[in-house]
Amino acid sequence: MAERDKAFVEFVEAATPSLRRTAYLIGGDRHRADDVVQETLYKVYLAWPKVQRAGNPFAYARRMLVNVAYDGGRRPWRREVTIAEVPEHDGHTGDFATGHAERDEVLEALRALGPRQRACIVLRYYEDLSVEQTAEILGCTEGTVRSQASRGLEALRKAIDRRRSPAL
């Protein structure tokens, strides 16, 4: 195996779990997240020498992932009507714990956000990136990240409160 390929394979093995999580949280669909990660890694491989010279391949891949996720939302096939809820087949049977219910609440509320707010929330609070790092990945100002994250958190709070309060 060539040295270039060996380094890339090591990068893929280390970065894929985090990239998949980020893609899922941004897109809200596991299968689409896998597609986004696959396309991102393909593009990273094509630019691998440049990526290695830049010195931070994970940051480069994360930014590319966000761009691929945004681009995928604009493709015609993505505009098809989606099923509101697909049952998960993860091998568990029986009743889910409260933690799973709360997680589902948050994920559903996250899916309702616009793509920019969702990306800001995911990068800032799930990936634990700084405002500066998030702004760099999204290609916007730090003020935009702060305002989008603030609005996104407020929208999440309201959505979760609406779900938890009894219907009048």
Side-chain angles (χ1 to χ4, degrees), residues 133-159:
Q133 291 169 315
T134 303
E136 183 180 331
I137 288 169
L138 297 177
C140 63
T141 66
E142 294 174 17
T144 300
V145 169
R146 286 187 193 98
S147 67
Q148 291 292 314
S150 175
R151 289 181 190 134
L153 287 173
E154 183 61 27
L156 286 174
R157 282 186 200 101
K158 287 179 181 177

Side-chain angles (χ1 to χ4, degrees), residues 14-25:
T16 297
S18 179
L19 293 174
R20 287 181 81 205
R21 181 182 61 239
T22 301
Y24 171 68
L25 291 170

Side-chain angles (χ1 to χ4, degrees), residues 80-158:
E80 294 175 7
V81 177
T82 58
I83 298 171
E85 183 131 354
V86 177
E88 297 278 333
H89 297 290
D90 59 2
H92 296 311
T93 57
D95 202 10
F96 287 100
T98 302
H100 288 285
E102 290 174 355
R103 178 182 154 268
D104 289 344
E105 273 183 332
V106 172
L107 290 174
E108 185 175 320
L110 192 60
R111 279 188 219 107
L113 295 178
R116 189 67 136 189
Q117 286 181 351
R118 187 169 49 242
C120 283
I121 296 294
V122 168
L123 294 172
R124 284 282 293 126
Y125 303 106
Y126 282 90
E127 292 297 323
D128 199 27
L129 298 179
S130 68
V131 171
E132 297 80 17
Q133 291 169 315
T134 303
E136 183 180 331
I137 288 169
L138 297 177
C140 63
T141 66
E142 294 174 17
T144 300
V145 169
R146 286 187 193 98
S147 67
Q148 291 292 314
S150 175
R151 289 181 190 134
L153 287 173
E154 183 61 27
L156 286 174
R157 282 186 200 101
K158 287 179 181 177

Side-chain angles (χ1 to χ4, degrees), residues 56-67:
N56 191 347
F58 189 67
Y60 187 96
R62 188 182 284 138
R63 179 174 184 147
M64 194 174 287
L65 178 109
V66 170
N67 291 339

